[in-house]
Structure formats: structure tokens, C-alpha cells
């Protein structure tokens, strides 16, 4: 995604600044991956623009394994936290690669503590297309062990799904196999609502597995246009979803959409 700073500022124009949370009484957050290029060029300035839209929380990506965020790896996490909070935002969750959490867990946990994180979310196992169901289960078992370490540090570990977890292997849905293998206390789930494009509704899983879900990534989808659209402009039943999320114990949520949809998504959520 290549976007000019002018386009980013234009997208924020007219967005209301909210002092309080909206759905579920929680602050509206955004995942920083879709605006990674802007953040890599002007971290502090871009954060201020996100805050001006009305967002109050962000979810980062690990600077040690996400190239666009690598500049933050050389900065003390306490300083990065001060920059985020100085922009009127809070960061309590961050995405991590599976490999870095296996190879350098203590270093990553220490960095997370300095940043003030409460949640560390593994974004993917990075398994090949040829992976077997046992490969998925083995990865999940390894994640349980990592979860023991983060929990001792006072941080909850999570796992984020993509479309691939909703394929079947050996007549078993991969996602269901992961839920059976992951320890409910050690590893919570972050549900990617964008799988609505596959016909999978987040609320179905939130109701089926209460207490297993930590957070949500928010996105919407138009079945008529077969593409992603701003939150509230697609087929997701948002009121039903948030009702299920509240009952399920979800602690936070992050809009994860391209820049063109961020302001409109915030506006819709703020009015719910």
C-alpha cells in the first residue's frame, strides 16, 4: 500500500474525536499493519493522525520480525510507549511471529513488558500449504509452552486466525482442531472477522466457545461486490457480534482495514 501523507490527512478530515469507548464500553482500536508504510516514514505524526480520527488504542506488529516496524527495534520500548501515549493512544497488544516467539521468548517478553503490553498475539504459524493436521496440532502444542512463559510475566498470549484455518484436513476443520489443542488458559484467540468472506461468522464461534476469545480484528465484506468494505457497510451483523463478544469475554477489538475505510469504520462504531 503506497499512500501519500496528504491522502492520509484527507482521510482523517472531519472525523470526530471520541473521549470514550463505544461498543462494549471499550475504546475503539485499530491494527497498524494496513498503515505500516506511513508509520515507517513518520511514526509519531501518523499516530497523531490516527488519534485525530478518534481511535484510542492501537495494536502494533513486532519490530523484530515485521520489516516495516524494524526502526522501533533499536529504540527502548519505554520510549516507544511514551511516543504512543503522547499521541493520545494506548498500546496493550502486539502481533508477533511464531518463529521469534520460539527462538527468543525471553527477549520478546522483556520488550513487551517495556512497551506496557498485556497481550502478545502470534499472527500465524507460517506453515506450508502441504502441512498436515498433525503439523497444526504440533504448532499449537508448542504455543501452549510459550503461553506458560508469557503468563508468568503477566502477559496473555493469543493466536490470530486467517482464512487458512477454515480449511479441512482429514475431514476436520483446522480451526476446530486448534481449539481442541490450545490450552484455554494459556492461549486465547483473536478472531479475524474478515473470514465472513468465507461465510464464517465470528459470533458463531464466540457463542460456541465462550471464554476462549481475547480480541477481535474488525472488517466487513460486501457479498454483492465480493470485496472488503468499511465496517457497517457490509454483511456483518455488528450488533449481534458485539453482543456475543461481550458474553464471550472479549477484552478489545481493532479495526483492520485499509486507510480508505478507517475513518468511516470508526464513525460507524462510534455511533453504535
Amino acid at each position: 500500500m503506497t499512500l501519500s501523507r496528504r491522502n492520509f490527512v484527507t482521510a482523517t478530515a472531519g472525523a470526530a474525536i471520541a473521549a470514550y469507548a463505544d461498543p462494549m464500553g471499550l475504546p475503539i482500536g485499530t491494527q497498524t499493519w494496513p498503515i505500516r508504510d506511513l508509520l515507517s516514514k513518520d511514526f509519531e505524526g501518523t499516530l497523531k493522525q490516527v488519534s485525530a480520527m478518534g481511535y484510542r488504542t492501537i495494536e502494533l506488529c513486532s519490530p523484530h520480525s515485521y520489516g516495516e516496524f524494524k526502526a522501533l527495534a533499536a529504540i527502548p520500548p519505554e520510549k516507544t510507549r511514551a511516543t504512543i501515549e503522547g499521541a493520545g493512544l494506548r498500546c496493550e497488544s502486539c502481533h508477533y511471529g511464531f518463529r521469534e516467539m520460539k527462538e527468543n521468548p525471553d527477549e520478546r517478553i522483556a520488550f513487551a513488558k517495556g512497551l506496557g503490553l498485556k497481550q502478545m498475539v502470534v499472527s500465524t504459524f507460517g506453515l506450508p500449504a502441504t502441512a498436515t493436521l498433525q503439523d497444526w496440532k504440533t504448532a499449537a502444542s508448542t504455543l501452549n509452552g510459550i503461553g506458560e512463559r508469557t503468563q508468568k510475566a503477566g502477559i496473555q498470549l493469543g493466536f490470530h486466525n486467517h482464512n487458512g484455518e477454515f480449511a479441512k484436513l482429514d475431514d476436520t476443520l483446522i480451526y476446530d482442531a486448534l481449539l481442541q489443542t490450545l490450552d484455554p488458559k494459556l492461549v486465547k484467540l483473536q478472531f479475524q472477522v474478515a473470514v465472513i468472506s468465507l461465510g464464517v461468522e465470528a459470533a458463531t464461534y464466540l457463542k460456541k466457545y465462550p471464554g476462549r476469545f481475547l480480541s477481535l480484528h474488525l472488517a466487513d465484506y460486501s457479498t454483492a461486490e465480493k470485496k472488503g468494505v468499511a465496517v457497517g457497510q457490509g454483511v456483518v451483523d455488528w450488533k449481534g457480534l458485539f453482543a456475543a463478544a461481550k458474553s464471550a469475554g472479549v477484552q478489545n477489538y481493532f479495526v483492520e482495514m485499509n486507510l480508505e475505510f478507517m475513518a468511516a469504520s470508526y464513525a460507524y462504531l462510534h455511533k453504535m
Side-chain angles (χ1 to χ4, degrees):
M1 181 177 67
T2 302
L3 295 163
S4 69
R5 182 164 182 77
R6 178 177 296 177
N7 286 341
F8 187 83
V9 174
T10 299
T12 68
I17 299 178
Y20 300 100
D22 299 280
M24 298 172 58
L26 296 172
I28 300 172
T30 187
Q31 225 290 343
T32 53
W33 175 249
I35 55 171
R36 58 194 180 278
D37 292 335
L38 290 169
L39 286 166
S40 67
K41 295 174 183 176
D42 183 0
F43 187 70
E44 184 175 5
T46 302
L47 290 177
K48 289 180 179 179
Q49 295 296 334
V50 169
S51 180
M53 281 187 184
Y55 289 100
R56 284 295 168 263
T57 67
I58 61 168
E59 183 178 56
L60 281 178
C61 297
S62 171
H64 300 92
S65 62
Y66 288 77
E68 293 83 357
F69 296 82
K70 64 181 179 180
L72 299 179
I75 301 172
E78 293 82 2
K79 184 175 180 180
T80 297
R81 178 180 181 178
T83 300
I84 293 170
E85 293 178 352
L89 298 165
R90 189 173 75 248
C91 179
E92 296 182 348
S93 181
C94 182
H95 270 200
Y96 288 83
F98 185 42
R99 181 175 177 178
E100 67 176 317
M101 290 301 291
K102 288 191 296 181
E103 297 179 351
N104 302 289
D106 294 336
E107 291 179 13
R108 298 301 180 265
I109 291 171
F111 190 90
K113 293 284 284 185
L115 196 56
L117 298 184
K118 294 181 178 179
Q119 303 165 7
M120 300 175 75
V121 180
V122 171
S123 57
T124 177
F125 287 135
L127 296 174
T130 55
T132 65
L133 188 62
Q134 186 56 51
D135 290 333
W136 284 93
K137 290 181 178 180
T138 298
S141 294
T142 299
L143 198 59
N144 286 335
I146 298 171
E148 290 181 355
R149 301 177 80 135
T150 65
Q151 197 159 95
K152 288 179 181 177
I155 298 175
Q156 177 65 58
L157 188 65
F159 178 75
H160 174 84
N161 68 277
H162 292 86
N163 286 8
E165 287 83 358
F166 290 91
K168 283 189 174 183
L169 289 173
D170 302 333
D171 273 337
T172 300
L173 197 70
I174 294 172
Y175 198 64
D176 287 340
L178 292 179
L179 277 159
Q180 292 168 8
T181 308
L182 292 171
D183 187 298
K185 293 182 180 179
L186 299 176
V187 184
K188 301 291 185 181
L189 288 301
Q190 180 181 76
F191 201 91
Q192 172 57 276
V193 178
V195 293
I196 189 69
S197 65
L198 304 177
V200 179
E201 295 188 8
T204 300
Y205 276 86
L206 296 174
K207 293 174 182 177
K208 186 176 181 180
Y209 298 99
R212 299 293 301 272
F213 293 90
L214 179 68
S215 59
L216 304 171
H217 270 199
L218 309 186
D220 216 332
Y221 184 77
S222 169
T223 52
E225 301 178 64
K226 299 187 183 305
K227 68 175 186 179
V229 293
V231 171
Q233 296 180 14
V235 297
V236 175
D237 172 10
W238 290 103
K239 289 185 178 179
L241 172 56
F242 281 118
K246 186 174 183 179
S247 296
V250 167
Q251 297 177 23
N252 45 28
Y253 50 85
F254 307 97
V255 170
E256 187 185 32
M257 307 204 74
N258 289 335
L259 178 67
E260 61 183 305
F261 299 135
M262 283 180 64
S265 295
Y266 170 80
Y268 176 82
L269 292 167
H270 182 50
K271 293 177 181 178
M272 285 189 70

